[in-house]
Amino acid sequence: MPGSTPASCMPQWPKDVGIIAMEVYFPSQFVDQTELEEFDGVSSGKYTIGLGQARMGFCSDREDINSLCLTVVQRLMEKNRLGFDSIGRLEVGTETIIDKSKSVKTVIMQLFEDSGNTDVEGIDTTNACYGGTAALFNAVNWVESSSWDGRYALVVAGDIAVYASGSARPTGGAGAVAMLVGPDAPLALERGLRGTHMKHAYDFYKPDMASEYPVVDGKQSIECYLSALDRCYAVYRNKIHAQWQRAGVEKSFSLEDFGFLAFHSPYCKLVQKSLARLMLNDFLMCPKPNTQSGPFAGLEAFRDIKPEDTYFDRDVEKAFMKASAELFEKKTKSSLLISNQNGNMYTPSVYGCLASLIAQHTPQQLAGQRVGVFSYGSGLAATLYSVSVTQDHTPGSPLDKLVSSLCDLKARLDSRRKVSPSVFSDNMKLREETHHLASYVPRGSVEELFPGTWYLTRVDDKHRREYARCANIDDFPQRQRNSNSSTEHIANPATKMPCVPASTASAGDAIRNGDH
């Protein structure tokens, strides 16, 4: 049990530091993208085929970044039967800022009060969609450092992605992912294998402090994303080649050396293009590619192109998407479940993709695989790194428990409530008008929230926010529970239970951003 070993007795390098457990939260309602196409008056397929999106989750004014993170943290702790005293570092990655000084992490600390644990390092990390990855790296570095005291680290990535009405709005979404970090993890970050690219750019940014909406240069954003992917892949390849050479291994790295790949997903079609982009990199880096047969067949015409000239070259894109189609089906498509059904979650996006991938494979299929993870945040910051999946897939192993905890993701997505585009639009207008107000009581329905969800009850005249929690499934009579639930301590959200309002929630389930 982390925390039980004196620091002086611990080895210098904890082994296999990485992700031990994960939990995902997304809102309980969504809008259908086909219906949104009709509502917006755009051509059929623009959102569903052009962007690759089917549904988009969204929050009412009952949920904010604090409530999302409170919910996902409490669910992770309950599901894994963890005491809050077992956490020594908690860091939040988010770009959904509702206070210019007070961190989301300090709000989450209210969950720790009953345990008496206030010795918890870490605060918020912000840079567009990259904050969750920076927080994860900080947590891993803490466990591997002399600062580690033997306890777990907890990483939370959460955001509410909303856009002004127009072409960018269907690329929104909302959600949060919590990750438990420590040694002997089933998903260990491979030491020394990170390719990072950082550069100044104004592709997506939020200069208006009174608005949730970003300023977006769509074309530049795509170019920044793909160019960062190129740079990160080149650095990653160089580092793994150096490791292999030191070990006496003489071979060239390619996409085939990844068992799976997960990408930050603003929308699903860009992920498919990104895998094709990596194949383009492999093709151009190969000294003598076979263009007569195999994956590079028929690509000879592209041999002398320069990558920086191809970001919007439709012929290159089409050819390499076709050439990489089999790889996409095998290595990446399964990672897009949440992205396709819930939309872009910003900082949790790539980790929602990682969770989707895990949820749709067996422990046996995952064991021993190298998973490539590409994280991108506008402005810009990007990293391609890899995760090594443990070989141990026996029943009851950490990998088996991780897979079991996520296997209900599709059922949870399917259990959400569909609302009309007009209701979605009204919710966006309400958020736009009220998200920054003091002395505000939210108007959204509490009854439609998932069991165990934290929600906003009011904002007082000093902008202090108060929250309450819907009753969890354990608060309902046994006969009402789903006997087939895959977990013992958290609701199967596919079971529709009414959300108990704050006035009848269990004692201690009402907290406030500030004093109690």
Side-chain angles (χ1 to χ4, degrees):
M1 163 74 180
S4 61
T5 305
S8 60
C9 298
M10 287 184 282
Q12 185 177 1
W13 289 101
K15 184 182 176 183
D16 295 332
V17 178
I19 301 168
I20 296 172
M22 298 180 76
E23 177 60 13
V24 182
Y25 172 74
F26 38 76
S28 61
Q29 69 279 334
F30 69 91
V31 61
D32 183 271
Q33 293 276 18
T34 301
E35 295 178 3
L36 194 59
E37 289 171 344
E38 184 177 353
F39 180 80
D40 289 345
V42 301
S43 58
S44 176
K46 184 172 183 178
Y47 303 159
T48 51
I49 299 174
L51 297 176
Q53 300 301 117
R55 297 172 174 180
M56 178 168 54
F58 68 95
C59 298
S60 72
D61 64 342
R62 281 290 180 183
E63 295 188 272
D64 62 14
I65 184 58
N66 292 337
S67 69
L68 264 60
C69 292
L70 285 166
T71 297
V72 78
V73 167
Q74 185 135 44
R75 286 185 173 185
L76 177 79
M77 300 298 283
E78 290 175 345
K79 182 179 286 189
N80 291 279
R81 300 184 179 185
L82 290 169
F84 282 94
D85 57 352
S86 68
I87 305 298
R89 185 178 183 91
L90 167 61
E91 191 156 353
V92 177
T94 185
E95 62 170 278
T96 305
I97 308 300
I98 56 176
D99 190 287
K100 291 183 287 185
S101 177
K102 183 174 175 60
S103 68
V104 175
K105 183 265 181 75
T106 60
V107 178
I108 299 174
M109 285 304 299
Q110 292 171 103
L111 298 177
F112 288 69
E113 290 184 2
D114 288 347
S115 72
N117 179 22
T118 60
D119 179 19
V120 182
E121 296 184 5
I123 49 173
D124 292 4
T125 302
T126 299
N127 188 90
C129 302
Y130 188 81
T133 294
L136 176 61
F137 288 173
N138 288 345
V140 170
N141 292 345
W142 176 75
V143 174
E144 291 186 339
S145 76
S146 61
S147 299
W148 187 48
D149 62 5
R151 291 181 293 169
Y152 292 115
L154 186 59
V155 175
V156 188
D159 274 305
I160 298 172
V162 290
Y163 294 84
S165 58
S167 59
R169 177 159 280 186
T171 63
V177 174
M179 295 173 279
L180 190 71
V181 174
D184 302 315
L187 305 181
L189 273 67
E190 293 195 285
R191 188 174 296 150
L193 293 182
R194 299 181 191 172
T196 292
H197 176 63
M198 298 205 177
K199 180 182 176 180
H200 169 61
Y202 277 119
D203 56 325
F204 168 111
Y205 52 108
K206 296 179 179 177
D208 186 352
M209 302 302 291
S211 172
E212 288 189 292
Y213 299 145
V215 175
V216 185
D217 183 330
K219 185 175 182 180
Q220 185 184 7
S221 187
I222 293 172
E223 181 174 337
C224 286
Y225 183 104
L226 295 177
S227 65
L229 179 61
D230 288 345
R231 297 291 186 89
C232 291
Y233 189 45
V235 175
Y236 181 92
R237 282 171 55 103
N238 288 339
K239 289 185 177 181
I240 198 167
H241 283 159
Q243 284 194 5
W244 284 351
Q245 286 176 358
R246 288 193 295 271
V249 177
E250 293 295 334
K251 61 173 291 189
S252 179
F253 185 88
S254 73
L255 284 179
E256 292 294 343
D257 293 295
F258 286 124
F260 301 98
L261 288 111
F263 299 79
H264 167 60
S265 179
Y267 51 92
C268 292
K269 186 57 71 70
L270 183 58
V271 170
Q272 190 172 359
K273 293 178 181 179
S274 296
L275 188 71
R277 187 80 192 176
L278 292 184
M279 176 172 272
L280 169 64
N281 277 267
D282 278 357
F283 175 68
L284 295 177
M285 292 176 186
C286 183
K288 295 180 180 180
N290 181 357
T291 57
Q292 301 304 312
S293 62
F296 298 145
L299 298 175
E300 179 60 34
F302 305 105
R303 188 62 186 149
D304 297 323
I305 61 174
K306 296 180 180 179
E308 61 269 22
D309 296 333
T310 62
Y311 298 126
F312 303 103
D313 188 319
R314 300 300 293 272
D315 291 335
V316 171
E317 180 182 286
K318 183 177 179 181
F320 281 88
M321 284 183 69
K322 180 179 179 181
S324 63
E326 185 177 341
L327 279 179
F328 175 75
E329 290 287 330
K330 177 182 176 182
K331 297 178 183 290
T332 299
K333 186 177 180 180
S334 62
S335 72
L336 294 177
L337 173 64
I338 293 177
S339 181
N340 173 264
Q341 294 291 307
N342 185 56
N344 185 5
M345 300 188 292
Y346 287 166
T347 56
S349 171
V350 68
Y351 299 103
C353 289
L354 181 59
S356 295
L357 191 157
I358 294 167
Q360 296 179 92
H361 290 88
T362 65
Q364 293 84 352
Q365 291 170 327
L366 294 168
Q369 298 289 348
R370 168 180 283 128
V371 182
V373 181
F374 177 66
S375 179
Y376 176 82
S378 293
L380 61 80
T383 297
L384 173 65
Y385 66 98
S386 54
V387 169
S388 176
V389 184
T390 179
Q391 294 280 1
D392 184 5
H393 56 80
T394 56
S397 66
L399 178 60
D400 181 63
K401 291 177 180 178
L402 176 61
V403 173
S404 296
S405 73
L406 295 171
C407 68
D408 66 343
L409 275 182
K410 189 176 186 304
R412 289 165 57 183
L413 287 162
D414 290 344
S415 74
R416 296 171 301 163
R417 178 175 61 102
K418 184 175 81 168
V419 303
S420 68
S422 61
V423 171
F424 164 69
S425 181
D426 288 345
N427 271 270
M428 293 300 99
K429 188 173 186 299
L430 180 62
R431 291 190 65 89
E432 182 178 326
E433 294 172 346
T434 65
H435 83 277
H436 61 289
L437 295 181
S439 302
Y440 177 67
V441 177
R443 308 171 200 172
S445 171
V446 173
E447 284 72 22
E448 295 293 340
L449 299 174
F450 283 135
T453 300
W454 284 96
Y455 61 93
L456 181 67
T457 58
R458 77 180 186 115
V459 184
D460 72 12
D461 60 352
K462 292 184 178 180
H463 289 272
R464 294 178 296 186
R465 293 171 176 251
E466 300 176 15
Y467 300 88
R469 191 188 188 203
C470 294
N472 205 356
I473 197 164
D474 286 340
D475 299 321
F476 292 99
Q478 183 66 38
R479 67 178 181 276
Q480 289 184 282
R481 302 180 193 174
N482 182 349
S483 60
N484 295 320
S485 175
S486 62
T487 60
E488 297 178 27
H489 292 272
I490 197 164
N492 178 351
T495 306
K496 278 293 186 181
M497 297 290 187
C499 180
V500 181
S503 59
T504 57
S506 59
D509 273 359
I511 63 175
R512 171 175 170 168
N513 183 352
D515 341 324
H516 277 256

